[in-house]
Amino acid sequence: MKASHDLAPPHVDGRRPHFALTRKANGFLYMSGQLPFGPDMTIKGDDVATQTRVCIDNIAHLLAEHGLDLSDVTKTTIWLTRIEDFAAFNHAYAAAFPGPELPTRSTVRADLMVPGALVEIEAMATLRTDQS
């Protein structure tokens, strides 16, 4: 399998979106927003808690390809389609990031580009000293 920085995003309607999945710069690994896609590129889960876990699993996979894990995440940005999903999202998110050092986070309500997606998570991680 190619490293994530070599993987192109999937084709959508016969076109490839214009972005990288990951990029290393200035001591950080930047990750494009992760939607709750399974390996077959379909949305996994009908509820925000399940979709949150899938997004975080996708982030963990990208991190692992760069020798990192969730403890290296320093910042996340979250988009939720429904404000009423915040509590369930937050519970699933907290299980993945138990602390004691937590990433900073911004959470907003927004319409997402993929029908059926309830959450999208973008993450930034600090590279380890030997990776910079």
Side-chain angles (χ1 to χ4, degrees):
M1 180 175 201
K2 294 180 182 177
S4 61
H5 59 281
D6 294 331
L7 289 176
H11 287 277
V12 177
D13 296 331
R15 295 176 303 207
R16 180 172 296 166
H18 193 72
F19 63 88
L21 290 174
T22 64
R23 180 161 180 192
K24 289 181 183 181
N26 302 316
F28 293 98
L29 177 68
Y30 298 91
M31 288 163 272
S32 293
Q34 295 299 300
L35 289 157
F37 287 129
D40 61 356
M41 294 308 297
T42 62
I43 297 293
K44 298 301 177 194
D46 295 326
D47 62 271
V48 76
T50 301
Q51 288 193 13
T52 297
R53 287 189 291 273
V54 173
C55 290
I56 292 171
D57 287 347
N58 291 343
I59 289 167
H61 176 78
L62 292 174
L63 288 164
E65 289 181 0
H66 292 279
L68 302 171
D69 59 45
L70 290 172
S71 70
D72 297 301
V73 174
T74 52
K75 169 74 170 100
T76 61
T77 304
I78 316 300
W79 294 270
L80 295 173
T81 60
R82 302 183 304 219
I83 292 171
E84 60 269 22
D85 283 343
F86 181 78
F89 152 77
N90 198 52
H91 183 74
Y93 181 93
F97 297 102
E101 291 188 32
L102 299 173
T104 61
R105 181 178 89 187
S106 301
T107 307
V108 297
R109 205 239 33 104
D111 294 329
L112 297 178
M113 298 298 293
V114 177
L118 302 174
V119 61
E120 181 173 349
I121 303 175
E122 177 185 85
M124 181 173 75
T126 302
L127 295 172
R128 296 177 183 167
T129 305
D130 60 336
Q131 298 173 314
S132 296

